Amino acid sequence: MLSVEEEKMFEGQPRGFPFGDFDIADVMLPDGDTMGIPSDDEEEEELIETETGLGHIVVVDNIPQVGAEKYDKLTKILSKIFSASGTIAENGLNHPVDQSTGLSKGFAFVEYENHDQARTARMALDGYQLDKNHKFIAILFDDLERLNDVPDEYQEPPQKPYEPATDLYNWMGDRRGRDQFAVRYGDETEVLFNDVAQQNPQKVKDRSFWTEAPFIQWSPQGTYLATVHMQGVAIWGGDDFRRIRRFSHKNAQRLAFSECEKFVYIYTDIPPEGRQPPRFALSVYEVTTGRKLRVFEGSQEDHAVGAARRPDGGMAYPAFKWSSSTDDGHAFLAVMRKNAISIYQAPEMTLLDKKSIKADGIQSFEWSPADPILCAYQEEQGNLPARVVLIRSPDREEVRAKNLFSVADVRMAWHPQGDYLAVRVEKWTKTKKSTTTNLELFSMREKNIPVDMLELPNKSEKISGLAWEPHGNRFALIHGSDPQRPSVSLYSMKDPKSGALGGVHHIHTVHNRSVSSLHWSPKGRFLLLAGLKQNGKLEWWDTHDEVSVVGAGEHLMATEVAWDPSGRYVVTSVTAVNQMENGYQVWSFCGQPLYKVSKDRFFGFVWRPRPECLLSKEKQKEISKNLKKYSKRFEEEDEKLLAAVDSELLAEREKMLSEWNSWKESRVEWAEKQKEGIKQLLGSKWVAPEEEYIVQEVEVSAIVDVREQKVESQ
Amino acid sequence: MRPYILQGHTRPLNQVSFTREGDFLITCGKDSNVNLWWADNGERAGTFNGHNGAVWTTDTTYDTSVLMTGAGDSTVRLWDITNGDELFKFQFHEPCRAVKFNVGDTMAAISTDPFMDSVSAIRLVKIADDSSEQSGEVLASMTGPRGRITRILWTDLNKTLISTSEDGCVRRWDVETGKMIQEEQVHKATIGDMQMSVGGTHIITASADQSAKILDSQTLQELKTFSSQVPINSAALSPTHDHVLIGGGQEASKVTTTSDKAGHFEARFFHKIYKDEFANVSGHFGPINTVAFTPDGTGFASGGEEGYVRLHHFDADYFTGGN
């Protein structure tokens, strides 16, 4: 759609780009002129993938050379082998004969129906052992030229000049201890400091078209910012957000870092073509080196199992999930197959023990956030009951399993530090007409991993949300029979009186809350109840000794909640799923509204994560004990900043006022003339304007506060 | 500040305005009604019946004896305010959107919409002292801009006209020659309303591009911008204070949620110089289409898409609370 002014510009002209009377040279930029748009590709040109149109053809070499008498027989055998991995096109097999010797040349061209078949065939045929002496070498015809271009002599690559590395942790040294966040709206991406003292975020870096995706992503420890492009994924970091590395992956759509930030995978969902089922491509890279570790390609159907299956038969994202890392620097990538789960070990990216783990009827799995242990749910199979099983990597040992009966559905929720696992089980009633919900609670840190069962007092109630308190033993539940007005309850895995671990203990329940999700502060203690996608009602709880409501608010149409990593602030935002009200609101940890920013087409708000605290537990305790000593400095700074903001605002107002007054001054003469003129034009009808009102400026003084302070004499 | 809620229209309001003396409020709407109300207590004083289409605008003569109305039925009519009689009817071929008497009430400017073969136009007619001698003759037509002309103001002692259009432009016209002398793309979307300050030095425009702007009436130079999250349909300047009143709201067709807060249907007060919003008055449950201050600045009226007019008189602390 053209805007009004554009339409006016081209009024009366035919629609479309006016190629007719147009010289391309007129609009070409002179060499070296970039119009101030920096190019991303200032470095090496990437090898462009050539498409010769012969992508369906595979060249197979190292075929026995035979005379005319055996030629037909061999061709027949070849055609059989070749067609095992795809349909050969009509007259698609070319097995040439050297006219001078009468022997076959020892290689063949095979044309398949499509590119994908050719690729699978190449993989299958390369290394195929025909007999003792003949092992096929197969390559795609498209690769032939590239391989031909490799010079015979080794040439040492030119040494790249040394570039000092940027300090990736610069942002953590902020003197005022502020946290950063990234926002994505319209075509813009911004990184900002959350500056509460100044009542405004402070920009660190912004860029238009930084990423082609409608989201922005930090690496799990906050070191890198990742952007998604047609050609792959780029990661950025350091104080100036320079590009650290690129990972090429055609039509990249999504990415996932392993928890340790060492590995990343990039994922593309390839929609079905014709009768072909949907496919996917996934590349795994090592972040620090940029080394490509492995590529997974194939049909989505292979992994579209249970919870990872979309209604259309494709694979729901994310089907591949990273584990946390082990002490020796490994991480595991797991994916379900039919009746099995495959676990690959990074950085080698080999299948653990070279085979998938058998898991009949597997429906879903989740990794523990702290240990390389995954929890898998297997549905009922004939007489076998449903099972929830915990499997440890890399030894693939089942550390705990629990059988369950008449299960309709299972969902898992890990404690953020991996201390507990809650499994929410929907069970069929005897009539199989309705379900009841209960929880199976695994205490991961206890010997033999005891499991406690929790049933709600009212069996007709459903559990619609569960959240574990970070660094704690408690969890909060949303439950109730009316999804619009549910109850919220708090339970503990520790006896509240004796302090002994074990068992589930009810602590607190409130009824009739309009809440759809629960959000704990990352440091625990404070819990935010949010009615997202409903009315935007917000309620803050302090659960320290007794549960008390410490704050309440409302963010109309809010869709997301995000606590900052320090647990000092929480942000609610309205993303572009709603047409209106787009933007974000920053609150204090107990629900004081701090500032609000409106942005049209707002796609997302993400806090920059912080790495694990390096201070020992004792040191942290000591700091919180002597908090007053430390906080004094920050409070003073904050006050100074606030004063500066106030005086800035005053100066700004002063300026606006004087500008307005000088403009008014310049119009006085004209206005006087007008008054006179109007009086004349109206003649006898003219009435003097009534001056009944007087605007009077009155100064009023009031005492706001009285404080006594001792002044020490010197 | 409990408002009077005036229920005299069954369809959206198009304009509310006070007479010069401030004792009457005149409202017109899409239901083809024109109502006259006592400004102090909100009682209806009378109606002007006759239009067969949405009445887009009204204007009164300096002495508040004659009312002029422009309507979608392609007529502009003159009425006797004292008894509601129709005095004269200008018949056009296009809907009439804006009408304005000049200073001295000797002429009127009438804008007509683009319709069938016609383009939008400002037409000048002579207003007779004695309505029995009134003729329908059009003295001059100024044509040109695309889109409807939504408001017209006389300025510079009847020498020039300022018009606002649906294309977001503000234009100045020479009355003598009928030529356009200035054109400024002030807004990105349709300008729904334009009102003039008391001394005539500046004007305020309200646009669907979610902003209202104060312009110098002689240079059309932008002096202030007030922004909103929703389209603005109308804006008014306080005659006594440095206050700006803005009315608008999410278009009714786009309000999808149940909460009426989402639409921002409040009348909002901004400081004219500092541009801060310092108050808002809720009550309408549809977008506000039109707002007006009383001539003495002691109150305001707003007319909504839902068909209600809310007539407010400010509390004492509006005047003592300072700016």
Side-chain angles (χ1 to χ4, degrees), chain A residues 513-559:
Chain A
R513 281 290 186 278
S514 58
V515 49
S516 65
S517 59
L518 303 166
H519 308 268
W520 283 96
S521 152
K523 301 283 178 205
R525 179 168 168 178
F526 293 96
L527 174 67
L528 168 57
L529 283 61
L532 299 182
K533 287 158 198 161
Q534 300 176 1
N535 45 16
K537 285 256 179 356
L538 305 164
E539 191 173 304
W540 280 262
W541 285 14
D542 181 357
T543 65
H544 189 50
D545 286 323
E546 270 177 25
V547 176
S548 58
V549 176
V550 286
E554 191 179 340
H555 188 180
L556 203 64
M557 309 209 283
T559 55

Side-chain angles (χ1 to χ4, degrees), chain A residues 4 7-8 11 554 556-557 580-581 653 656 660 663 667 670 674 677-678 681-682 685 687 693, chain B residues 62 104 146 156-158 167 185 200 202 216 218-219 223 240 250 257 261-262 264 272-274 276:
Chain A
V4 174
E7 246 186 72
K8 214 169 57 189
E11 202 176 359
E554 191 179 340
L556 203 64
M557 309 209 283
M580 292 173 290
E581 302 282 333
R653 287 191 156 195
M656 286 199 268
W660 178 264
W663 171 82
R667 285 284 170 269
W670 180 87
Q674 291 280 306
I678 288 171
L681 281 170
L682 288 169
K685 281 196 228 163
V687 188
Y693 55 84
Chain B
Y62 183 81
R146 283 147 58 85
D156 228 0
L157 303 173
N158 296 343
D167 61 1
Q185 182 82 49
H202 52 289
D216 184 312
Q218 291 311 293
T219 61
L223 300 173
T240 51
Q250 199 66 44
T257 47
K261 276 184 217 157
H264 290 287
K272 184 157 86 179
I273 296 160
Y274 305 141
D276 298 332

Side-chain angles (χ1 to χ4, degrees), chain A residues 450-477:
Chain A
V451 182
D452 292 290
M453 216 254 285
L454 173 68
E455 268 183 333
L456 291 174
N458 181 348
K459 289 222 168 160
S460 67
E461 288 194 341
K462 295 267 177 295
I463 296 173
S464 54
L466 186 151
W468 285 99
E469 180 185 21
H471 305 283
N473 316 82
R474 298 178 293 181
F475 63 91
L477 283 184

Side-chain angles (χ1 to χ4, degrees), chain A residues 205-244:
Chain A
K205 173 91 181 175
D206 65 326
R207 213 170 140 174
S208 305
F209 302 103
W210 201 350
T211 176
E212 288 163 36
F215 60 86
I216 192 85
Q217 201 167 332
W218 294 99
S219 62
Q221 314 286 332
T223 316
Y224 311 106
L225 185 76
T227 56
V228 178
H229 310 269
M230 280 283 280
Q231 303 90 336
V233 163
I235 56 170
W236 314 73
D239 52 350
D240 53 352
F241 280 92
R242 68 174 70 169
R243 189 170 58 213
I244 308 294

